[in-house]
Amino acid sequence: MGPEVNARRAWLRAGGRRRYAVGVAAFSLGAIALAGCSSSGGSSASPGTVNTPTSAAASAGGGGASSGTQTLTVKQAQGGKSYLADSTGKTLYLFAADAPGKSVCTGQCAAFWPPLTGTVTAGAGVTGKLTMFQRSDGGSQAVINGHPLYTFTLDKAPGQTAGEGLNENGGLWYVVDPAGNQITSLSG
């Protein structure tokens, strides 16, 4: 046996196989996420509240954030900052790559970042202008201060903010404050 074979065996024994498998899995998930994010979007925002008869799961390929009536609520982060949540307490996000009143998050992107759809109203403490727009997939999505709103599938319980600051699907994702602006840090 040559030195190349011995080096390869040593690398595999030292955990190289596991690192290789993790790297391949991460690359594959990234490729899937990027493939699902297209540049098509909806029309410009129109004022008012729109009732969508279909669930967001149908309009977003199975990962819908809501169906029916939603009321935007204001929550407090451990760091003291106020942020928006849906009626169930799930954190709401904006996608920096979106144009005002237009979503570029469709397909697999929308499966991981479900758009907030349905009949949406502003609750106490929400100061941003709430509107709706028609998505390219047919659903109506909530918009605050020009930013389409989303939840994140990895936030499994109310108050979780796993999507804050992530750079995925061609842009950054931020938690939204009550005025509809991005929060770049939830701590103090």
Side-chain angles (χ1 to χ4, degrees):
M1 283 190 230
E4 295 167 329
V5 172
N6 288 334
R8 173 88 172 136
R9 285 184 179 162
W11 180 78
L12 290 172
R13 278 190 298 259
R17 185 179 315 142
R18 181 176 38 235
R19 285 190 299 267
Y20 177 77
V22 168
V24 168
F27 177 78
S28 298
L29 285 174
I32 290 169
L34 284 175
C37 194
S38 72
S39 62
S40 64
S43 62
S44 63
S46 59
T49 302
V50 178
N51 186 8
T52 307
T54 59
S55 73
S59 66
S66 67
S67 62
T69 301
Q70 288 283 328
T71 300
L72 301 183
T73 60
V74 177
K75 302 293 182 186
Q76 286 292 122
Q78 287 183 344
K81 292 206 177 167
S82 296
Y83 66 94
L84 289 180
D86 68 7
S87 291
T88 67
K90 288 194 81 176
T91 303
L92 294 174
Y93 296 89
L94 65 82
F95 186 33
D98 284 344
K102 184 176 181 180
S103 173
V104 296
C105 182
T106 61
Q108 282 296 319
C109 176
F112 286 99
W113 298 91
L116 183 67
T117 62
T119 301
V120 181
T121 58
V126 177
T127 59
K129 182 180 179 187
L130 178 64
T131 59
M132 302 291 288
F133 78 98
Q134 192 75 23
R135 291 178 54 83
S136 62
D137 58 17
S140 293
Q141 185 171 355
V143 176
I144 190 152
N145 197 28
H147 300 291
L149 295 173
Y150 306 86
T151 59
F152 184 44
T153 57
L154 294 183
D155 287 343
K156 299 297 184 190
Q160 292 182 336
T161 57
E164 172 60 32
L166 290 182
N167 188 353
E168 292 187 354
N169 305 105
L172 292 168
W173 294 86
Y174 295 107
V175 173
V176 183
D177 75 10
N181 301 308
Q182 69 187 28
I183 298 174
T184 57
S185 174
L186 286 170
S187 60

